[in-house]
Amino acid sequence: MSNEVNPFESLQEQIDDAAAYLEYPTDVLERLKHPERVLETNLSVEMDDGSIEVFKAFRSQFNGDRGPYKGGIRYHPQVSRDEVKALSGWMVYKCAAVNIPYGGGKGGIKLDPREYSDGEVERVTRSFAKELRPFIGEDRDIPAPDVNTGQREMNWIKDTYETLENTTEPGVITGKAPESGGSAGRVEATGRSVMLTTREAFDYLGKDVGEATVAVQGYGNAGSVAAKLIDDLGANIVAVSDSSGAVYNPDGFDARAAKSHKNETGSVTGFEDATEELTNEELLTLDVDLLIPAALENAINGDIAQEVQADIIVEAANGPLTPRADDVLTDRDVAVFPDILANAGGVTVSYFEWVQNRQRFYWEEQRVNDELERVITNAFDNLVKTYERTDAPSFRTAMYVVAIERVVNAAEEAGIWP
Ligand code: NAD
């Protein structure tokens, strides 16, 4: 997986592709291709041995036309200004694609948390929360988890913010533990929307998901929950991977057992029900019906795309295809269902969490899952209607047409402040 392709340029290209099907003047579209502002900060944090280490951190607020900025915080050594800008832009169009009342933002710290103690990660997180404090708030900008962050980090950010503001404001951040105001169903929400998109996609294409073979790249939160729920639809999970490698069994295996193995050993490799170990690239080019990239951006480049044998790709990760891979797969008639729909379950249930926080009234998990299903199936219906109406070359371009129209409409209603 490489970042030779700048993800921010990929985002801008996706907007340009959709612009061809929209009749907006260039200046209107230009505004939609750049963040409104980016915070870049250097966190000086004391390590366990008393030394001070400096961590680069970012928060991009891309567009707030449809509501407060919304998006996760990622901890990864590859975090960069352009990656955070791209991810914040994808959040704008994701929230618009599924029609929830948010703009888009994203944050990140250049950090591999596995190299630090829990205490050090907590001090880095609280230091970032202190820097973020003037920019965030339940009506301003609402962070959430992303790669290598979860309930623990969200609880620390909430606690730091509330302590400094001398208030209780659980809606300042989502993805919290239920005891801290988190929503039932949030942990599984991203994987659930990947499953719902898969179910709708197979139905739309007239294929039987119960007969499908499936490979999943990346077996973290998004990938493992998606695999489990797609397994429950009757599909056959035949290969999964993580950063250590891939495992394969052409007869399939139990997605839950693969996750238990990863929980116990730290990796999917060595999983006893697999018959072969593969490289990640071999997994991406397996002869399967459905491929789910669920790791990081740019996982599939143009060369790999030539070798992909799956008929359908459902993107659990953000930006897993380079623009060239997208073109190759479109030419080869592989149906790609885009990230801004398929993984929107995370932000949708974050929205439900925020609604519950503001009302101080909490829902049962069944209600959360039912509301999520309604949001994703409505978005899917809108996608295919637009795909057919515009004759767009891909589902991605059609989804961007829907999303861009919503953002432009909101901006036009608001007007431009001089
Ligand atoms: P995670 O940290 O829980 O899991 C990431 C997984 O990818 C891990 O299993 C890791 O080992 C694996 N991985 C990393 N590098 C890899 C490589 N080179 N090859 C194969 N596997 C590799 O993260 P996550 O929350 O599941 O996020 C995964 C993707 O989903 C990201 O693109 C993220 O932005 C996106 N996403 C997540 C959520 C969410 O709610 N968790 C919501 C929307 C989008």
Side-chain angles (χ1 to χ4, degrees):
M1 196 172 312
S2 79
N3 258 358
E4 323 142 10
V5 177
N6 181 327
F8 183 54
E9 288 169 13
S10 302
L11 165 77
Q12 294 188 319
E13 219 171 288
Q14 289 161 351
I15 296 170
D16 285 338
D17 287 346
Y21 297 86
L22 290 160
E23 288 174 9
Y24 294 125
T26 326
D27 55 341
V28 169
L29 291 164
E30 194 56 26
R31 235 191 110 243
L32 305 182
K33 288 161 61 176
H34 303 277
E36 290 172 10
R37 66 191 67 81
V38 182
L39 167 74
E40 178 171 339
T41 177
N42 295 289
L43 311 171
S44 300
V45 180
E46 188 175 344
M47 299 290 99
D48 290 344
D49 65 3
S51 64
I52 301 290
E53 198 165 323
V54 179
F55 299 89
K56 199 158 265 311
F58 306 90
R59 180 79 185 166
S60 169
Q61 296 180 333
F62 200 95
N63 181 291
D65 289 332
R66 300 183 69 256
Y69 308 101
K70 183 84 190 89
I73 293 178
R74 173 177 295 196
Y75 290 179
H76 197 277
Q78 262 180 27
V79 161
S80 68
R81 192 180 174 94
D82 272 359
E83 184 189 62
V84 170
K85 279 161 59 180
L87 289 163
S88 66
W90 283 322
M91 287 306 299
V92 175
Y93 300 105
K94 188 180 303 182
C95 294
V98 295
N99 208 10
I100 56 174
Y102 284 142
K106 201 84 175 194
I109 306 181
K110 210 171 166 52
L111 155 82
D112 183 348
R114 286 170 304 185
E115 291 176 4
Y116 297 89
S117 69
D118 287 353
E120 289 168 339
V121 174
E122 177 172 355
R123 290 196 292 281
V124 172
T125 305
R126 288 188 184 274
S127 170
F128 192 33
K130 181 170 73 66
E131 290 298 317
L132 287 175
R133 187 188 59 86
F135 303 96
I136 61 176
E138 65 181 7
D139 287 319
R140 200 172 291 145
D141 182 352
I142 308 147
D146 192 67
V147 174
N148 289 328
T149 60
Q151 292 182 343
R152 185 181 73 156
E153 288 74 16
M154 301 307 109
N155 296 347
W156 287 331
I157 294 173
K158 168 179 171 281
D159 181 64
T160 308
Y161 178 88
E162 291 185 334
T163 303
L164 294 172
E165 291 284 321
N166 190 27
T167 189
T168 59
E169 194 180 314
V172 67
I173 197 152
T174 60
K176 304 176 292 291
E179 299 75 14
S180 299
S183 177
R186 173 62 182 86
V187 172
E188 297 216 327
T190 303
R192 185 169 292 280
S193 67
V194 175
M195 175 277 284
L196 292 166
T197 303
T198 299
R199 190 191 71 190
E200 297 299 302
F202 273 74
D203 190 40
Y204 177 70
L205 297 170
K207 293 175 187 272
D208 182 0
V209 71
E211 296 288 313
T213 51
V214 186
V216 182
Q217 184 214 26
Y219 217 53
N221 176 286
S224 68
V225 174
K228 179 182 81 172
L229 297 176
I230 291 169
D231 202 354
D232 290 347
L233 294 178
N236 207 6
I237 311 297
V238 297
V240 300
S241 73
D242 59 24
S243 49
S244 311
V247 289
Y248 177 52
N249 181 341
D251 295 329
F253 48 74
D254 177 15
R256 286 177 174 82
K259 180 61 176 163
S260 303
H261 176 84
K262 183 170 165 70
N263 289 346
E264 280 158 26
T265 65
S267 168
V268 294
T269 55
F271 175 46
E272 53 281 6
D273 295 344
T275 51
E276 273 180 66
E277 305 248 331
L278 306 176
T279 64
N280 259 293
E281 186 163 335
E282 286 167 334
L283 174 140
L284 295 171
T285 55
L286 279 174
D287 186 7
V288 287
D289 300 306
L290 169 66
L291 175 62
I292 301 181
L296 295 176
E297 58 269 18
N298 295 338
I300 302 178
N301 62 23
D303 294 340
I304 298 174
Q306 295 284 8
E307 307 297 324
V308 163
Q309 297 189 66
D311 302 318
I312 302 177
I313 295 179
V314 175
E315 296 181 331
N318 285 309
L321 270 53
T322 65
R324 202 171 110 59
D326 225 0
D327 292 344
V328 169
L329 292 165
T330 301
D331 287 348
R332 295 188 50 220
D333 284 333
V334 176
V336 177
F337 290 86
D339 46 6
I340 59 169
L341 167 68
N343 71 28
V347 72
T348 303
V349 175
S350 274
Y351 165 55
F352 299 157
E353 179 176 334
W354 178 80
V355 168
Q356 294 169 73
N357 290 156
R358 305 198 70 160
Q359 297 184 339
R360 312 263 169 166
F361 177 77
Y362 288 86
W363 306 352
E364 300 287 332
E365 181 165 355
Q366 193 57 50
R367 176 168 176 196
V368 173
N369 293 345
D370 291 347
E371 296 276 357
L372 174 60
E373 181 161 358
R374 188 182 52 77
V375 168
I376 299 297
T377 52
N378 279 347
F380 192 93
D381 288 349
N382 260 315
L383 164 63
V384 295
K385 274 187 202 134
T386 307
Y387 177 70
E388 289 168 10
R389 172 176 62 80
T390 58
D391 206 17
S394 69
F395 292 104
R396 185 189 316 283
T397 297
M399 196 77 264
Y400 270 90
V401 168
V402 173
I404 290 171
E405 271 179 336
R406 289 196 174 128
V407 178
V408 171
N409 288 346
E412 281 181 351
E413 290 298 322
I416 297 276
W417 186 255

